[in-house]
Amino acid sequence: MKPRDEHKIEQIFQATLVLVKEKGLAGITMSEIASAAKIATGTLYIYFESKEKLINDLFTRCRKTSAETYFKGYHTEQPFKDGLKIVWLNLFDFRIEHFEEAVFMDQCYHSPYITESTKELTKKLIQPLYKLVERGMEEKLLKKMDAFMLLIFIFSGLNEFVKHSFYSERKISKSSKEELFNLMWDGIKASS
Amino acid sequence: MKPRDEHKIEQIFQATLVLVKEKGLAGITMSEIASAAKIATGTLYIYFESKEKLINDLFTRCRKTSAETYFKGYHTEQPFKDGLKIVWLNLFDFRIEHFEEAVFMDQCYHSPYITESTKELTKKLIQPLYKLVERGMEEKLLKKMDAFMLLIFIFSGLNEFVKHSFYSERKISKSSKEELFNLMWDGIKASS
DNA sequence: TCCATAAATGAATAATTATTCATTTATTTG
DNA sequence: CAAATAAATGAATAATTATTCATTTATGGA
């Protein structure tokens, strides 16, 4: 018996991500995905029973990958600001290296492919980030305010900065990350 | 001769925006749009020669509407911070009141419907915002730095805040706008 | 009031695209 | 090395959806 080529799943995922970045969820067809992944259309259906399943599985994988990355290198023993910066830079770098995934997930969020329960799960993944923000407030290092707003403020800048840098084909330098972090930090830090 | 009901265009646009918010660009069909707009499928084609034309026209209209709103009430005679706040709040309120349009435009950006030249035009619309940011730096009220980054930082928070508030079905209070503006301002103001 | 004209309709058609399937190919194992 | 099995293929089919069109309806002007 011929075994499955598990590497094909990755090929299919990559092809889908690239196509969605280029033409959006609305613009992709199963045969295009197949040909971009260098396989036959029928083969696609050996690995994914339907288009909906393919999109959902890819969405789930993207979500997991990004969540695993956030807290790499973060420990609660670190001073708060250092820890925050590590997480913040993790997210920044992840956005850069996985730009297609961010575009894909954004598009999925308003789409007929993703089920409500899949969306619900996504919300849970930001729980650890809430904890982080709350720690900062408890240590009186951050302004005392609504955690939801603070959380969004902390990460919104990097999201949009990466997005618009890609659109305008700008390089993102190491120093620009520092600068943006400082902008954000000056906003959130407790006034002394 | 029976005249055209120009009000129908608005019905069609509204129906499209609502549907795209609910199911995304990938999920809408011409017959769905027609029935949501309470007209026959064929009638749609009296007003728009194709789906692509409909999407493009709506995109163009959304872009214009939003650009017209930004600077309402802003005058260069105002102190910089007051002027910035007016523009910033205009954008914030626009995002709230026209949430569907923001979702629609986001989705269009990665789609086969919008042409490159349409995208190019969009970039030009932020020129006045650049001017505003540069004014702030010249008056030494803002940190001296890359205008592109500063611009994105200023407006990213409100964008994401409105988006996530809608997703989580949170009300946005008057005071939360003030708070978010202050977060942002503390980030960008020149350190004294 | 009636005619001319274009809008409005929605079923029919054309195009597109998801999915299936008969056939071929590759791999494992006995 | 041959049989057994499942992957791989891509043309054929089924579904879906954009678009058209013959017919009906509504409106302004003669």
Side-chain angles (χ1 to χ4, degrees):
Chain A
M1 139 179 141
K2 184 172 178 181
R4 268 195 201 187
D5 177 2
E6 291 302 327
H7 181 62
K8 281 218 170 64
I9 290 180
E10 195 47 37
Q11 279 175 54
I12 294 167
F13 279 167
Q14 279 310 318
T16 307
L17 289 173
V18 169
L19 286 173
V20 169
K21 188 187 74 176
E22 280 166 13
K23 338 189 353 179
L25 260 187
I28 54 165
T29 68
M30 290 300 261
S31 65
E32 271 182 316
I33 293 172
S35 92
K38 296 191 207 303
I39 60 177
T41 314
T43 311
L44 214 45
Y45 284 84
I46 292 171
Y47 293 87
F48 301 97
E49 68 195 18
S50 68
K51 187 175 182 181
E52 185 175 344
K53 190 75 168 41
L54 163 54
I55 303 290
N56 248 290
D57 285 4
L58 179 52
F59 184 85
T60 302
R61 201 205 57 157
C62 290
R63 197 180 50 195
K64 271 190 202 142
T65 321
S66 64
E68 279 163 11
T69 316
Y70 293 176
F71 284 91
K72 206 159 269 175
Y74 170 77
H75 308 288
T76 41
E77 302 86 56
Q78 290 159 330
F80 172 76
K81 187 178 174 184
D82 296 349
L84 175 67
K85 191 162 182 181
I86 283 170
V87 175
W88 192 88
L89 286 172
N90 282 344
L91 250 153
F92 201 134
D93 290 337
F94 186 83
R95 282 268 159 170
I96 295 172
E97 278 158 43
H98 302 256
F99 182 65
E100 285 99 345
E101 300 179 27
V103 171
F104 173 75
M105 293 183 77
D106 270 4
Q107 294 241 336
C108 281
Y109 222 79
H110 296 272
S111 90
Y113 298 114
I114 302 301
T115 59
E116 278 307 314
S117 68
T118 306
K119 285 184 193 172
E120 282 304 315
L121 262 172
T122 306
K123 282 184 194 160
K124 285 196 185 144
L125 286 178
I126 59 165
Q127 281 309 124
L129 295 176
Y130 262 109
K131 283 266 176 300
L132 180 62
V133 162
E134 275 154 10
R135 178 188 157 191
M137 288 198 279
E138 278 159 22
E139 294 185 16
K140 308 231 187 285
L141 294 169
L142 299 186
K143 285 174 182 155
K144 180 126 191 65
M145 61 187 307
D146 177 49
F148 176 80
M149 179 185 284
L150 203 48
L151 187 56
I152 286 170
F153 179 79
I154 290 172
F155 296 104
S156 60
L158 70 87
N159 270 340
E160 299 257 308
F161 184 67
V162 172
K163 199 155 75 176
H164 287 95
S165 296
F166 269 76
Y167 292 160
S168 330
E169 294 168 64
R170 281 164 189 263
K171 278 262 163 55
I172 297 172
S173 64
K174 184 91 174 32
S175 67
S176 64
K177 290 183 202 175
E178 292 287 328
E179 262 184 309
L180 189 56
F181 182 83
N182 290 335
L183 273 182
M184 183 277 286
W185 178 258
D186 286 346
I188 66 176
K189 75 177 179 208
S191 39
S192 49
Chain B
M1 143 177 139
K2 186 175 176 180
R4 266 196 203 188
D5 177 1
E6 290 303 325
H7 181 61
K8 282 218 170 63
I9 290 181
E10 194 48 37
Q11 278 176 56
I12 294 167
F13 279 167
Q14 279 310 317
T16 307
L17 289 173
V18 169
L19 286 173
V20 169
K21 188 188 73 176
E22 280 167 13
K23 339 191 352 180
L25 259 187
I28 54 165
T29 67
M30 290 299 262
S31 64
E32 272 182 316
I33 293 172
S35 91
K38 296 190 206 302
I39 59 176
T41 314
T43 311
L44 215 46
Y45 284 85
I46 292 171
Y47 294 87
F48 301 97
E49 69 196 17
S50 69
K51 187 176 181 180
E52 184 174 344
K53 190 73 168 39
L54 164 54
I55 303 289
N56 247 290
D57 285 4
L58 179 52
F59 183 85
T60 302
R61 201 206 56 157
C62 289
R63 196 180 51 196
K64 270 191 203 142
T65 320
S66 65
E68 279 164 11
T69 315
Y70 294 175
F71 283 91
K72 205 159 271 176
Y74 170 78
H75 308 287
T76 41
E77 304 86 55
Q78 290 158 332
F80 172 75
K81 188 178 174 184
D82 295 350
L84 174 67
K85 191 162 183 179
I86 283 169
V87 174
W88 191 89
L89 286 173
N90 282 344
L91 249 153
F92 200 134
D93 291 337
F94 186 84
R95 282 268 159 170
I96 294 173
E97 279 159 42
H98 300 257
F99 182 65
E100 286 98 344
E101 299 178 28
V103 171
F104 172 75
M105 293 184 77
D106 270 4
Q107 295 241 335
C108 281
Y109 222 80
H110 297 273
S111 89
Y113 299 113
I114 303 302
T115 59
E116 278 306 314
S117 68
T118 306
K119 285 184 191 171
E120 282 306 314
L121 261 174
T122 306
K123 283 184 195 160
K124 285 198 185 141
L125 285 179
I126 59 166
Q127 281 309 122
L129 294 177
Y130 262 109
K131 283 267 175 301
L132 180 62
V133 162
E134 275 154 11
R135 177 187 157 193
M137 288 198 280
E138 279 159 22
E139 295 185 16
K140 307 231 188 282
L141 295 169
L142 300 185
K143 286 173 181 156
K144 180 128 190 65
M145 60 188 306
D146 177 48
F148 175 80
M149 179 184 286
L150 203 47
L151 186 55
I152 287 169
F153 180 79
I154 290 172
F155 296 104
S156 60
L158 70 87
N159 270 340
E160 300 257 307
F161 184 67
V162 172
K163 198 155 73 176
H164 286 95
S165 295
F166 269 78
Y167 291 161
S168 330
E169 294 169 64
R170 281 165 188 263
K171 280 263 164 55
I172 297 172
S173 64
K174 185 90 174 30
S175 66
S176 63
K177 290 184 203 174
E178 291 287 328
E179 263 185 308
L180 190 56
F181 182 83
N182 291 335
L183 273 181
M184 182 276 287
W185 177 258
D186 286 347
I188 65 176
K189 75 179 178 205
S191 38
S192 50

